[in-house]
Structure formats: structure tokens, C-alpha cells
């Protein structure tokens, strides 16, 4: 039995399955390799383990993630979980069309699945889910219980600073009675934004919001029935209560640029600084495990194994949200990193590390 709020969330995603990608959309392994088990192993353990035979779960998988992550982790089986039967139906169909056969599907919500399922996972991907639950701290705890002792998870949640202006739009929508249940609600909220003056802050805040291209994206972004965004301190406290520890953050090129000019003696202080001045335009994406982060500098680097035979002069980086135009030196470094470790003392280009194309290891 689902709570009333969980039932509303289920109904929303049954009506507006997310994301609403074309059936012709195809995954580029280069663009998704940053989210692989191998990357998580390097970031949280300091060693690159193969995903072969590992237990992987996708919590809140939506319509596209099973195909993307299933293709990326072809040497093992994945459990894909979602509260919406419509989303799972579309996810199954996409996997069938793309001949992705290593995914098992479960219709359940995150809390019930983690509590009732006996499996413990080596890797959990939970992207854009926990901030839509009524009790995010309980969700972090449930996720921690579902992890093996040396397992790890990749999580994305909204930041309060990122969603501050969006929250004003959401409150306006509620005042006008625009909910996912109302016919034409996505079109009506987009019309409202178009009628604002060109320089209006709320209109400007949505100019680059690609989610507004589809009705399902508009609902997920602006009309969701449940949302809880986090400040840095709130996030750290919720994770600590769940017994989870952040090992690494994934930052876009834009966010890295902001961090480089932020005041603070360490990353946490820089994040606080940017939050105070309303300068955090993205969500928080990070890797956690039950083990404390050692904060040790890597001894050397290895090339992400998912790039093997896929190296080219232009590599799309989903983390940095850009395409890297690699020099001959960068290509040579990546090519060499497949066979031999690259000493940390050598010149290692930061954008290759930030993109998770080069992985720091301590063993």
C-alpha cells in the first residue's frame, strides 16, 4: 500500500513518463562512461574493478536509464526499479528495441524495495529521485541498507540555490491550481513564462531549461507533486545520519569555473560561499559509500576502460556538459593509460580527470 503522496507521484509519472526521449535516441558509451561501476570503484576505493558479475541497482530508473546503464554494464545483470508502471513499460520496450537484455524490472518505490529486497548491491545509481520523496533522510538510510559494506552509490539531488527561482514558479502554479492532474497544465505554465517581460528574473532562469521542450520534462521540472531541495549542510547531515560518506563530486565545467573563484579553504567552504551568494546553478551529483573517504591523492592514473577502442579527437563529456576537443598529447595520454599507469607526478590534464576519462587510483 502506497501513501497518498507516493500514489500521487506514481500517477504523475504514469501520465507524464520521464524522460520523454525519441525512440531513435541512442546512447554514446563515451557520454555515459562517467557513471560506470568502474568509475565508482576508482573514486571510492582507489582501484578500478570490473563490473562483471557485480550487483547493480537503478532506483527510480525512469524510461531511459535501464537501456543506458544496461548497455554500459553489459557483463552483469541490473535491477531497474520505478514506482510507475507506465515508465517501466516504456523502459522495457526501449531495452527490447535496443537489444539490451541484461535488465530485470521491478515496479516498486525506493523505500519499499530497499526494505523488502534481500539483495545487497555493489553499485546503486539513484539519479534525481530522493528529492521527490516525502522523507529524503529515510531514503538515504534505505539506500545505505541496500548497499554491500564495500558498495557505493551515485546520487543526484536538487540544491536549494539551484531551485530557488524555480520554487517561485512552482508556488505560482499551485496558486493558479496548475497540477499534473489538470488538463494542459504544462502548456499553461509555459505560456505564463512567455508572457513575463523579457528581463524578468523568473523568465531568465528558464531560458536554458531544456526540460521545457517536452510536457513530461515541464511537469518534472516545474509542476512536480513533491520536491525537497538541499543546502550543503542539510545534505551532509542527512547523509551522515544514514551512515553515508561523500567521496567525490561531479561538477560541470560551469560549476568548476565558479568554484575556482570561490572563497574558502576547502571544497565545503567554497560550496557554502557560493550558496550564500546564490551562485549555484546546478544540482548536486556525488559518489558515496559506507566507508569514510581517505582524501589521499592518487598515486597514478588509468584510462577509463569504457573508452577502449572509442578514443577520438572529440569526446562528449556529460559531466562537464561540453565536448572536449583533444590535442594529440591528450589522446596519447589516454591511449597510454590503457596499458600502463600514468604517474601522478606527470602532467595530467584536469579536464580529463573531471570528465572521468582518467581515473586516479592508489593501487
Amino acid at each position: 500500500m502506497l501513501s497518498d503522496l507516493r500514489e500521487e507521484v506514481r500517477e504523475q509519472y504514469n501520465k507524464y513518463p520521464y524522460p520523454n526521449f525519441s525512440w531513435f535516441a541512442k546512447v554514446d558509451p563515451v557520454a555515459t562512461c562517467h557513471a560506470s561501476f568502474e568509475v565508482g570503484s576508482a573514486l571510492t576505493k582507489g582501484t578500478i574493478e570490473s563490473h562483471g558479475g557485480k550487483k547493480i541497482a537503478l532506483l527510480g530508473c525512469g524510461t531511459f536509464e535501464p537501456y543506458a546503464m544496461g548497455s554500459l554494464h553489459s557483463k552483469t545483470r541490473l535491477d531497474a526499479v520505478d514506482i510507475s508502471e507506465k515508465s517501466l513499460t516504456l523502459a522495457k520496450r526501449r531495452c527490447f528495441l535496443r537489444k539490451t537484455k541484461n535488465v530485470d524490472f521491478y515496479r516498486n518505490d525506493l523505500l519499499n524495495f530497499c526494505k523488502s529486497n534481500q539483495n545487497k548491491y555493489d553499485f546503486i545509481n539513484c539519479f534525481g529521485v530522493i528529492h521527490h520523496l516525502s522523507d529524503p533522510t529515510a531514503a538515504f538510510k534505505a539506500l545505505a541498507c541496500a548497499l554491500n559494506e564495500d558498495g557505493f552509490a551515485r546520487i543526484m539531488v536538487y540544491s536549494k540555490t539551484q531551485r530557488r527561482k524555480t520554487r517561485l514558479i512552482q508556488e505560482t502554479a499551485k496558486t493558479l491550481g496548475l497540477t499534473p492532474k489538470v488538463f494542459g497544465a504544462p502548456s499553461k505554465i509555459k505560456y505564463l513564462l512567455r508572457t513575463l517581460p523579457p528581463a524578468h528574473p523568473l523568465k531568465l532562469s528558464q531560458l536554458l531549461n531544456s526540460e521545457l521542450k517536452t510536457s513530461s520534462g515541464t511537469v518534472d521540472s516545474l509542476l512536480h507533486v513533491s520536491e525537497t531541495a538541499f543546502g550543503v549542510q542539510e545534505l551532509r547531515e542527512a547523509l551522515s545520519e544514514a551512515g553515508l560518506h561523500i567521496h567525490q563530486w561531479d561538477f560541470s565545467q560551469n560549476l568548476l569555473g565558479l568554484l575556482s573563484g570561490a572563497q574558502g579553504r576547502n571544497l565545503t567552504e567554497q560550496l557554502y560561499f557560493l550558496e550564500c551568494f546564490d551562485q549555484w546553478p546546478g544540482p548536486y551529483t556525488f559518489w558515496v559509500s559506507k566507508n569514510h573517504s581517505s582524501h589521499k591523492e592518487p598515486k597514478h592514473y588509468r584510462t577509463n576502460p569504457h573508452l577502449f577502442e572509442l578514443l577520438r579527437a572529440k569526446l562528449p563529456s556529460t559531466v562537464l556538459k561540453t565536448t572536449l576537443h583533444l590535442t594529440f598529447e591528450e589522446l596519447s595520454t589516454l591511449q597510454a593509460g590503457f596499458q600502463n599507469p600514468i604517474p601522478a607526478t606527470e602532467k595530467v590534464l584536469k579536464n580529463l580527470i573531471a570528465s572521468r576519462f582518467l581515473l586516479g587510483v592508489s593501487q
Side-chain angles (χ1 to χ4, degrees), residues 1 10 26 35 74 113 119 138 172 186 218 225 240 248 259 272 292 299 313 327 336 341 344 358:
M1 177 69 71
R10 185 186 71 83
K26 188 176 180 181
S74 59
F113 180 81
N119 288 329
T172 300
T218 302
V225 298
S240 177
Q248 292 283 347
L259 283 168
Y272 287 148
H292 286 275
K299 292 182 179 180
T327 64
L358 276 181

Side-chain angles (χ1 to χ4, degrees), residues 57-106:
L58 314 175
L59 301 183
C61 65
T63 65
F64 195 81
E65 191 176 292
Y67 154 57
M69 295 295 279
S71 301
L72 190 65
H73 300 93
S74 59
K75 298 177 183 177
T76 193
R77 297 201 65 81
L78 293 76
D79 289 345
V81 184
D82 202 276
I83 197 172
S84 161
E85 52 263 47
K86 178 68 172 181
S87 294
L88 288 179
T89 297
L90 296 176
K92 291 177 184 178
R93 188 176 302 167
R94 190 177 295 275
C95 284
F96 175 78
L97 292 174
R98 291 296 180 183
K99 299 181 180 181
T100 304
K101 302 178 181 180
N102 60 325
V103 183
D104 299 311
F105 295 89
Y106 299 89

Side-chain angles (χ1 to χ4, degrees), residues 137-317:
T137 299
F140 284 129
K141 290 179 179 179
L143 187 151
C145 288
L147 280 175
N148 279 326
E149 287 306 309
D150 63 344
F152 50 85
R154 175 176 174 261
I155 301 172
M156 184 277 272
V157 295
Y158 289 149
S159 75
K160 277 189 173 179
T161 304
Q162 170 211 13
R163 301 294 288 177
R164 190 166 291 146
K165 291 186 175 66
T166 301
R167 188 67 181 166
L168 295 175
I169 299 172
Q170 292 170 326
E171 292 299 327
T172 300
K174 288 180 180 180
T175 300
L176 297 175
L178 296 179
T179 72
K181 294 182 179 180
V182 174
F183 178 78
S187 297
K188 291 176 181 178
I189 196 66
K190 286 194 287 187
Y191 174 76
L192 179 63
L193 289 172
R194 287 198 299 271
T195 60
L196 294 174
H200 194 287
L202 296 186
K203 187 169 187 174
L204 292 174
S205 71
Q206 299 300 315
L207 283 178
L208 299 179
N209 188 353
S210 60
E211 298 284 20
L212 303 189
K213 294 179 181 179
T214 65
S215 293
S216 63
T218 302
V219 169
D220 191 77
S221 178
L222 301 181
L223 300 174
H224 205 289
V225 298
S226 177
E227 178 178 312
T228 302
F230 292 85
V232 177
Q233 186 60 33
E234 294 169 312
L235 178 61
R236 293 173 67 89
E237 289 175 356
L239 290 170
S240 177
E241 189 173 339
L244 295 171
H245 307 280
I246 296 177
H247 286 253
Q248 292 283 347
W249 302 77
D250 284 348
F251 295 136
S252 69
Q253 199 170 43
N254 183 23
L255 297 182
L256 286 173
L258 289 174
L259 283 168
S260 66
Q263 298 294 317
R265 292 168 295 181
N266 53 47
L267 178 58
T268 300
E269 290 185 1
Q270 289 176 308
L271 293 176
Y272 287 148
F273 179 86
L274 292 174
E275 273 193 341
C276 288
F277 290 93
D278 199 17
Q279 293 188 79
W280 197 255
Y284 292 124
T285 304
F286 49 93
W287 296 80
V288 300
S289 81
K290 296 180 181 180
N291 303 311
H292 286 275
S293 174
S294 65
H295 297 292
K296 291 182 179 179
E297 291 296 322
K299 292 182 179 180
H300 49 261
Y301 293 89
R302 301 299 298 260
T303 301
N304 188 323
H306 290 282
L307 289 178
F308 190 67
E309 296 184 346
L310 294 173
L311 286 182
R312 48 187 185 266
K314 296 180 181 179
L315 291 181
S317 170

Side-chain angles (χ1 to χ4, degrees), residues 28-31 33 303 306-307 309-318 320-326 330-331 334 338 351-352 355 357-358:
D28 183 344
V30 174
C33 70
T303 301
H306 290 282
L307 289 178
E309 296 184 346
L310 294 173
L311 286 182
R312 48 187 185 266
K314 296 180 181 179
L315 291 181
S317 170
T318 307
L320 293 184
K321 293 181 172 57
T322 188
T323 297
L324 299 183
H325 298 264
L326 302 182
E330 290 171 321
L331 280 171
L334 289 173
F338 287 124
N351 60 350
L352 298 181
S355 298
F357 294 158
L358 276 181

